[in-house]
Amino acid sequence: MSGRADSDTDPEITDPGAAAAQDTEPEAVPIDADEPDDTDEPDDADEPDDGADDAAEGARRARWTAAGTGTVLAMAGLAAALLRLTRSAPALVPAAYAGGAAVCAGAAVLGSRGRTRRALWLLIVGVMVMALGDQFD
């Protein structure tokens, strides 16, 4: 709080009961049951709240992200496996890339079906398998 007397801040309240009483005593206006409701706002009781829309949008985004990432990593793993097949590399290297690509493709399928947490773990495992194959090169 500033020391100015003309500041716009409320005075400090030290009594917790007074603070609760100050916040909970609104001006009560009686409503007659015979008078029609003059509000032009529609009843929002059957519409879902924005939180449900945000959650659905987040889940949709997670599915697209898991499916897209799995597809990209599967394509990259297949490309790497084909490139390693043409060079003089041990047979384990292209097999590891192809295996990692298969795991990432499975993660893409799981992600598109909404199993995003399992898809994330499969993506991690697929990339680790590909990295392990790269170590044998």
Side-chain angles (χ1 to χ4, degrees):
M1 283 184 61
S2 69
R4 296 179 18 198
D6 62 339
S7 72
D8 293 333
T9 59
D10 292 332
E12 193 171 312
I13 299 173
T14 56
D15 184 23
Q22 182 181 8
D23 292 339
T24 59
E25 291 181 13
E27 294 292 324
V29 177
I31 299 175
D32 293 335
D34 297 335
E35 291 182 15
D37 189 14
D38 291 335
T39 61
D40 293 333
E41 298 174 8
D43 187 22
D44 294 336
D46 17 284
E47 292 182 14
D49 59 346
D50 290 336
D53 292 340
D54 292 341
E57 182 65 29
R60 187 176 302 116
R61 190 175 301 126
R63 284 194 302 269
W64 277 99
T65 302
T69 305
T71 303
V72 167
L73 287 175
M75 294 296 181
L78 285 177
L82 290 174
L83 285 174
R84 300 299 173 148
L85 276 176
T86 60
R87 296 182 185 169
S88 61
L92 187 59
V93 175
Y97 277 111
V103 171
C104 288
V109 170
L110 282 178
S112 68
R113 293 184 179 178
R115 305 291 187 190
T116 55
R117 190 174 300 149
R118 291 183 181 116
L120 173 66
W121 284 109
L122 280 180
L123 288 172
I124 292 169
V125 168
V127 170
M128 287 177 63
V129 167
M130 288 189 242
L132 184 66
D134 193 41
Q135 293 296 316
F136 292 125
D137 192 17

